[in-house]
Amino acid sequence: MTEKLIFELGSPGRRGVEFPAGDVPATALHELLPREYLREQSPPLPEVGELDAVRHYVRLSRMNFGVDVGFYPLGSCTMKYNPKVAEDAAALNGFANLHPYQPAELSQGALRLMYETQQDLAEITGMDAFTLQPAAGAHGEMTGMLMIKAYLESKGETGRTKVIVPDSAHGTNPATATLCGFQVVEVKSDERGGVDLAALKQVLGPDVAALMLTNPSTLGLFEDHIIEIADLVHRAGGLLYYDGANLNAIMGYARPGDMGFDVVHLNLHKTFGTPHGGGGPGAGPVGVKAELEPFLPKPVVIKQGDSYLLDYKRPQSIGRVKAFYGNFGVVVKAYTYLRALGGRGLKQVSEFAVLNANYLMKRLSNHLRIPYRRVCMHEFVASPPRECKERGIKTLDIAKRLLDYGYHPPTVYFPLIVEEAIMIEPTETESKETLDRFADSLIKVLEEARENPETLKNAPYTTPVRRLDEVAAARKPVLGWFPE
Amino acid sequence: MRFIPHTEEERRQMLNLLGIENTDRLFEGIPREVRLNRELQVDGGLSEMELSRHMASLAEVNTGVDKTICFLGAGAYDHYVPSAVKHILSRSEFYTAYTPYQPEISQGVLQSIFEYQSMICLLTGMDVANASMYDGASALAEAALMACASTRRDRVVVARTVHPEYREVVRTYLYGPGIKISEAPYREGLTRAEDAAGLLDQNTAALLVQYPNFFGCIEDLRKLAEAAHSVGALLVVCADPIALGMLKSPGQCGADIVVGEGQPLGIPLSYGGPYLGFLACREKFLRKMPGRIVGQTTDVDGRRAYVLTLQAREQHIRRDKATSNICSNQALCALAATVYLSLVGRHGLRQVAELCLQKTAYARNLLAKLPGYRLPWQSPVFKEFVIETKVAPEIINRELLKHNILGGLDLGRYYPELAGHMLFCVTEKRSRREIDLLADRLGAMS
Ligand SMILES: Cc1ncc(COP(=O)(O)O)c(C=O)c1O
């Protein structure tokens, strides 16, 4: 199945939407603009009717797999069900039609919603204050690390130029540290999948600004030395940064703030049920302990008496990371989710996310190699059985074959420290029968790998397109359609 | 339990397989000292019916541009959004997917991004565009970093006519790596090439300007490009995509990197986000580009297909050496822009642009004639203009609101020297009657 490009559809002169003719007296263009400012020709955008466009994009949608289509156990991404009522809420006129610069008295409902979200996220994480401005997790990381930088500088600690990142960390962590002007120091994981304490001690010193940690880690394991780690980092004068991508595992059970973290970012598009949008928009709120509060991006939503307002008077703020106040529409969805669940419901989310992951790990434990044989949290990481390697079967082949069974494959080749990693995160919104069916399918694929490896190497067979030539795509990049 | 499908029986079966009595056993790895021994104090537990009512009641407290006559712009614009855009965006095959890591089942998102990249190139006159950035401001900041990496220089010059919040964002992004910024002044609402040239030197990576600028005035890009290029710096242009339907593309005027805010292209105001940053450049800067890029290729059966490409720039491959840390972007907003641009098409975009231009000219003339109001500058504008007011902007706006009019931005808030000046915006949605009403009310106040 393929679909023409929108540029290859339609016919010259056709339009998808009509605008009314101008109702003001028209002035000759050259009186308004110097002639040389004008385009000679309109940009060659498509010339299609509304039906052409609608059919085209509906057909494209049918070539796409989302959570609403089927099971999507993409580790580290928390592909849970996105409640429809939240979509409706964000689309309400009273939210979708607000201009960011309209007076605060016209936006009290929106500001209250933001304020309460800040408060709730602080309670859930054990932090003192939150900003909703960052647009995604990585954006939150940048915000948090710049605050750490500004905080340390305010204490005269300008020699802290290094940031420690475990080798199991997500790529955005080291990339963020560099973006913020730090040098990255990688620290090994130990045989239990946690931070290697001896290695950590070796790199800690007066030049260290922070340790960036994901807990549960990207291996789906709780860092059992967390108290000791926090203590070591703090005693060395550094700060502890929490990558909250995996918060779905511990809500109501433990809070990063109580573990000693100084700064956290969350991904509303993971833990708080907002959709991933085909790659975004998400939102990456950042929470801090009181010492770092003055450095939050401005403005912050505050409450004065019975009214809510945007506070710009923040002289120590790192400034802004985004125009306006963040991905408000996404925050509306997360707020809706929070009010659906409440404190008790959030704890159940984590309870069942962890139960589902452990159940699935158990179901697959005789079929996959599980490098860390312990209770997992919301996800687990595995490698294909040895006989796969002997037959030349890679994780990629297993993933591609799962497509034929109607699944989005797990995350593959991450974290980097596990050979041929397969990272499975079922989330709490999936039922037992979905997990069972997935386990059965994966077991069947592994059987195929033994008996008929070629089936896997050439998979998938049933998808709209089959394996792509990615090397050609990178070697001779064709990155757009251009008129002849 | 909300959004959790397990029956009690299923839960028991699962625990049985695990050989445990209850789920608490699964959390024993969390050290006792850090366990939370109380319930989270988060309101909730509302049924869907109660929740709908609660959300509606919060929304009702707000008054949006559907209930007022909006003359407010300044980076967020009340343009018309064709119905079909919303309907396509509500296809959950799109919005419940994530980044298209598995191209075989993600051709929908991948092809739509490929079309989006193509459209951005057509509008900006650039060779390549990425799959999106968080918003216009962060796109501008990343373009500044990209210019520094490409030229191996560590200074940028940004025009004061660039959106003040965008300049703040650029400042924040450049604080990390310690890149120096200077600001070029304006005259008659425009950045003069000779003023910019005075700040540009052999260490300058880029000159950053906006087109049309924050005041609505149309910068002379050609001259600014010459000034930048004469010291080996790049010209980075932050453009309004609607204006590009009729104005010369920045590429034609010599720009090297073009970014902008895509919100005008079918994305609701939504109190400032989610919006869409676009970023495009000349091919020679491709390897320094941040973010996802989609390319065309073929599958094993020879079918044309699309895939994420040139990933060796990105954080998941290069880690601390990546061109940027961006991972999730604004893909669904890029889809909105793509559908919008398909629907308005080649002729519609120009028509929207001309409607904005004509209505703005009409409003500007009308207001300029009122006693107590004065145009500070005569420079050509597109869909926004600055006017000096005798009465304080704050008072004017409060009065306008009584007549259901959302007035212009009080510029004194961002430019101390422009206290007593307002920035009005007139999109294609404003009718002559509404503009006349604005003029009447303003006239009554002088
Ligand atoms: C562990 C981890 N950290 C950070 C991120 C970055 O989040 P985002 O994609 O929202 O920028 C991700 C997700 O992609 C992640 O899994």
Side-chain angles (χ1 to χ4, degrees):
Chain A
M1 198 200 305
T2 56
E3 171 69 16
K4 284 183 173 178
L5 288 167
I6 188 80
F7 302 99
E8 296 161 345
L9 299 170
S11 179
R14 197 178 290 168
R15 289 170 179 233
V17 59
E18 298 282 340
F19 289 90
D23 57 355
V24 299
T27 311
L29 279 187
H30 66 268
E31 287 179 34
L32 298 176
L33 297 176
R35 222 180 282 276
E36 69 270 19
Y37 282 14
L38 291 171
R39 273 183 194 265
E40 288 95 37
Q41 281 187 342
S42 301
L45 292 168
E47 296 179 79
V48 298
E50 181 172 334
L51 178 58
D52 296 326
V54 167
R55 283 204 180 132
H56 172 69
Y57 290 106
V58 168
R59 282 194 299 255
L60 283 183
S61 76
R62 296 175 63 180
M63 295 159 72
N64 217 67
F65 191 101
V67 174
D68 283 5
V69 177
F71 187 44
Y72 209 132
L74 189 67
S76 206
C77 299
T78 314
M79 303 301 291
K80 61 170 75 175
Y81 176 65
N82 315 120
K84 300 300 167 199
V85 62
E87 298 299 308
D88 292 345
L92 289 168
N93 276 331
F95 295 130
N97 284 323
L98 305 187
H99 191 289
Y101 289 147
Q102 67 181 42
E105 65 258 33
L106 299 189
S107 321
Q108 285 298 297
L111 290 169
R112 177 181 152 195
L113 182 152
M114 291 171 76
Y115 180 80
E116 289 184 9
T117 305
Q118 288 173 186
Q119 301 291 105
D120 287 353
L121 296 180
E123 162 69 4
I124 293 163
T125 54
M127 306 307 284
D128 295 315
F130 255 88
T131 172
L132 304 175
Q133 206 176 88
H139 207 207
E141 290 175 35
M142 185 195 81
T143 307
M145 293 308 291
L146 287 180
M147 288 171 67
I148 287 177
K149 192 182 181 87
Y151 169 79
L152 290 171
E153 278 174 12
S154 78
K155 302 248 167 225
E157 298 243 22
T158 47
R160 296 192 175 269
T161 54
K162 292 185 178 158
V163 167
I164 305 173
V165 176
D167 57 3
S168 60
H170 194 258
T172 50
N173 292 185
T176 298
T178 303
L179 177 68
C180 297
F182 294 108
Q183 249 172 290
V184 176
V185 183
E186 196 172 90
V187 63
K188 283 194 316 263
S189 299
D190 64 15
E191 68 288 348
R192 277 176 58 75
V195 174
D196 185 314
L197 288 182
L200 177 64
K201 281 179 196 157
Q202 252 170 25
V203 294
L204 276 173
D207 55 352
V208 169
L211 166 66
M212 297 181 84
L213 203 61
T214 310
N215 191 22
S217 71
T218 60
L219 297 162
L221 303 172
F222 197 87
E223 182 60 69
D224 35 17
H225 298 302
I226 185 60
I227 299 169
E228 206 174 338
I229 291 170
D231 199 45
L232 283 171
V233 172
H234 286 152
R235 263 193 289 152
L239 275 71
L240 207 54
Y241 181 92
Y242 183 82
D243 178 329
N246 294 342
L247 190 78
N248 209 48
I250 57 167
M251 284 186 293
Y253 286 93
R255 309 189 304 170
D258 301 333
M259 299 174 205
F261 286 94
D262 302 290
V263 183
V264 314
H265 88 257
L266 304 176
N267 295 59
L268 299 187
H269 47 299
K270 296 179 181 179
T271 313
F272 297 95
T274 75
H276 288 69
V286 172
V288 290
K289 290 282 177 63
E291 304 83 35
L292 284 112
E293 206 215 314
F295 303 91
L296 284 175
K298 59 185 171 182
V300 176
V301 184
I302 57 168
K303 188 174 181 187
Q304 265 179 11
D306 284 335
S307 49
Y308 300 88
L309 50 116
L310 293 159
D311 178 24
Y312 287 88
K313 288 191 280 306
R314 307 185 60 83
Q316 283 187 289
S317 165
I318 56 160
R320 281 178 168 282
V321 295
K322 193 178 178 310
F324 314 119
Y325 328 116
N327 281 346
F328 173 75
V330 176
V331 173
V332 173
K333 295 177 196 181
Y335 174 89
T336 312
Y337 182 80
L338 286 170
R339 289 293 166 270
L341 289 157
R344 189 170 304 166
L346 291 171
K347 186 167 181 181
Q348 282 170 344
V349 162
S350 293
E351 180 188 355
F352 283 87
V354 172
L355 177 63
N356 274 1
N358 278 283
Y359 178 77
L360 199 51
M361 179 167 75
K362 183 78 180 179
R363 289 264 352 238
L364 292 167
S365 60
N366 293 329
H367 304 276
L368 293 171
R369 274 187 293 151
I370 313 276
Y372 304 98
R373 293 238 161 217
R374 18 186 304 210
V375 171
C376 70
M377 300 302 285
H378 65 302
E379 66 190 2
F380 65 98
V381 180
S383 302
R386 293 213 188 280
E387 65 249 31
C388 279
K389 198 169 182 182
E390 289 150 18
R391 289 171 176 74
I393 296 291
K394 299 185 147 304
T395 283
L396 186 73
D397 304 313
I398 295 169
K400 295 303 180 198
R401 185 61 179 146
L402 279 170
L403 297 172
D404 287 324
Y405 284 82
Y407 296 108
H408 192 292
T411 292
V412 292
Y413 299 103
F414 174 72
L416 308 178
I417 59 171
V418 173
E419 185 192 1
E420 293 281 313
I422 304 175
M423 182 195 228
I424 304 179
E425 180 180 12
T427 84
E428 74 284 359
T429 59
E430 299 296 337
S431 64
K432 178 173 175 293
E433 70 261 26
T434 298
L435 306 183
D436 284 333
R437 232 182 287 135
F438 176 74
D440 293 342
S441 302
L442 185 52
I443 292 165
K444 197 120 154 257
V445 168
L446 295 169
E447 248 166 54
E448 288 178 336
R450 269 193 307 276
E451 280 152 26
N452 194 359
E454 290 310 305
T455 311
L456 270 68
K457 286 182 193 164
N458 295 314
Y461 304 91
T462 57
T463 46
V465 296
R466 296 184 54 212
R467 271 196 216 198
L468 305 188
D469 190 345
E470 303 196 12
V471 174
R475 194 171 295 152
K476 279 195 75 186
V478 178
L479 307 178
W481 172 94
F482 293 92
E484 322 245 282
Chain B
M1 284 172 292
R2 300 303 292 283
F3 319 125
I4 299 172
H6 304 62
T7 63
E8 189 45 42
E9 173 58 18
E10 286 165 336
R11 188 177 105 106
R12 214 185 36 73
Q13 289 169 357
M14 294 171 81
L15 290 171
N16 278 349
L17 182 81
L18 294 170
I20 56 178
E21 243 108 82
N22 59 51
T23 51
D24 285 346
R25 294 287 303 278
L26 301 173
F27 293 88
E28 280 171 3
I30 302 179
R32 236 164 244 296
E33 302 89 311
V34 301
R35 283 191 217 163
L36 185 68
N37 295 317
R38 60 168 177 85
E39 199 170 288
L40 288 172
Q41 302 300 302
V42 175
D43 288 345
L46 300 183
S47 68
E48 187 174 306
M49 199 167 84
E50 294 165 309
L51 194 54
S52 301
R53 199 178 303 144
H54 175 63
M55 295 311 293
S57 71
L58 272 180
E60 265 164 32
V61 178
N62 305 313
T63 306
V65 298
D66 53 318
K67 290 193 192 143
T68 51
I69 305 167
C70 175
F71 289 99
L72 194 52
Y77 299 101
D78 183 24
H79 286 291
Y80 182 70
V81 181
S83 273
V85 177
K86 294 195 278 280
H87 288 274
I88 296 301
L89 251 62
S90 59
R91 293 288 301 191
S92 63
E93 297 91 333
F94 285 130
Y95 80 75
T96 70
Y98 205 7
T99 308
Y101 298 119
Q102 297 289 338
E104 296 87 348
I105 53 166
S106 308
Q107 286 298 301
V109 165
L110 286 162
Q111 185 171 329
S112 75
I113 293 173
F114 184 82
E115 293 177 353
Y116 161 81
Q117 291 173 180
S118 311
M119 291 177 188
I120 293 301
C121 288
L122 297 176
L123 291 181
T124 56
M126 292 286 107
D127 304 321
V128 289
N130 78 3
S132 71
M133 305 298 290
Y134 302 135
D135 71 347
S138 64
L140 182 63
E142 290 259 21
L145 290 173
M146 189 182 152
C148 292
S150 298
T151 58
R152 308 215 178 139
R153 296 179 177 189
D154 63 354
R155 267 200 61 209
V156 301
V157 176
V158 53
R160 279 195 82 219
T161 53
V162 170
H163 193 305
E165 292 195 0
Y166 286 33
R167 280 184 282 131
E168 284 183 57
V169 173
V170 170
R171 231 168 244 293
T172 309
Y173 270 73
L174 300 195
Y175 161 60
I179 293 161
K180 286 180 283 304
I181 309 178
S182 28
E183 294 200 340
Y186 60 87
R187 279 190 267 168
E188 284 289 305
L190 289 171
T191 310
R192 296 290 178 88
E194 56 272 29
D195 293 341
L199 295 161
L200 295 163
D201 64 23
Q202 303 297 324
N203 299 320
T204 310
L207 171 62
L208 276 49
V209 300
Q210 197 175 351
Y211 178 68
N213 68 26
F214 184 65
F215 303 133
C217 300
I218 302 166
E219 303 276 12
D220 190 345
L221 293 187
R222 220 174 259 286
K223 289 202 181 122
L224 294 165
E226 267 167 37
H229 293 162
S230 71
V231 295
L234 309 187
L235 181 69
V236 176
V237 175
C238 180
D240 174 53
I242 300 282
L244 297 183
M246 71 184 303
L247 294 184
K248 273 225 168 92
S249 75
Q252 253 185 309
C253 304
D256 300 285
I257 305 175
V258 184
V259 300
E261 175 50 70
Q263 179 273 330
L265 306 175
I267 297 166
L269 283 167
S270 195
Y271 210 42
Y275 289 175
L276 165 69
F278 62 82
L279 189 151
C281 67
R282 297 197 184 276
E283 185 151 16
K284 62 179 167 191
F285 305 118
L286 173 60
R287 309 272 157 180
K288 298 284 182 212
M289 217 183 204
R292 314 273 185 206
I293 298 175
V294 172
Q296 183 180 302
T297 186
T298 49
D299 77 352
V300 289
D301 296 333
R303 279 176 292 213
R304 186 171 68 174
Y306 304 90
V307 67
L308 292 175
T309 193
L310 303 171
Q311 300 190 62
R313 304 162 295 107
E314 291 189 66
Q315 46 77 27
H316 59 289
I317 312 276
R318 293 296 297 282
R319 298 177 74 83
D320 60 322
K321 303 207 169 47
T323 54
S324 162
N325 71 339
I326 191 168
C327 180
S328 294
N329 51 33
Q330 303 281 117
L332 197 70
C333 303
L335 176 64
T338 311
V339 180
Y340 176 88
L341 287 170
S342 303
L343 289 168
V344 302
R346 180 176 201 152
H347 307 289
L349 188 66
R350 178 163 183 122
Q351 194 190 351
V352 173
E354 280 200 33
L355 285 169
C356 293
L357 182 80
Q358 292 288 353
K359 288 175 189 235
T360 301
Y362 174 77
R364 186 189 191 211
N365 278 335
L366 209 56
L367 268 52
K369 286 192 205 119
L370 299 173
Y373 299 86
R374 196 183 74 86
L375 295 179
W377 314 311
Q378 296 305 322
S379 311
V381 298
F382 175 60
K383 67 181 178 191
E384 288 173 281
F385 63 93
V386 174
I387 198 149
E388 190 180 349
T389 67
K390 219 185 212 159
V391 180
E394 211 188 315
I395 295 171
I396 290 180
N397 275 338
R398 211 172 310 136
E399 187 61 27
L400 287 176
L401 207 51
K402 287 185 195 154
H403 303 281
N404 219 27
I405 295 171
L406 203 49
L409 188 80
D410 179 354
L411 282 170
R413 184 171 147 195
Y414 296 104
Y415 297 86
E417 72 278 17
L418 294 180
H421 290 66
M422 297 176 78
L423 178 68
F424 280 92
C425 172
V426 189
T427 68
E428 79 284 3
K429 278 177 78 175
R430 296 289 72 82
S431 66
R432 178 176 183 169
R433 206 181 48 75
E434 290 171 335
I435 299 168
D436 290 345
L437 185 70
L438 172 71
D440 276 356
R441 294 303 158 203
L442 289 176
M445 258 181 278
S446 54

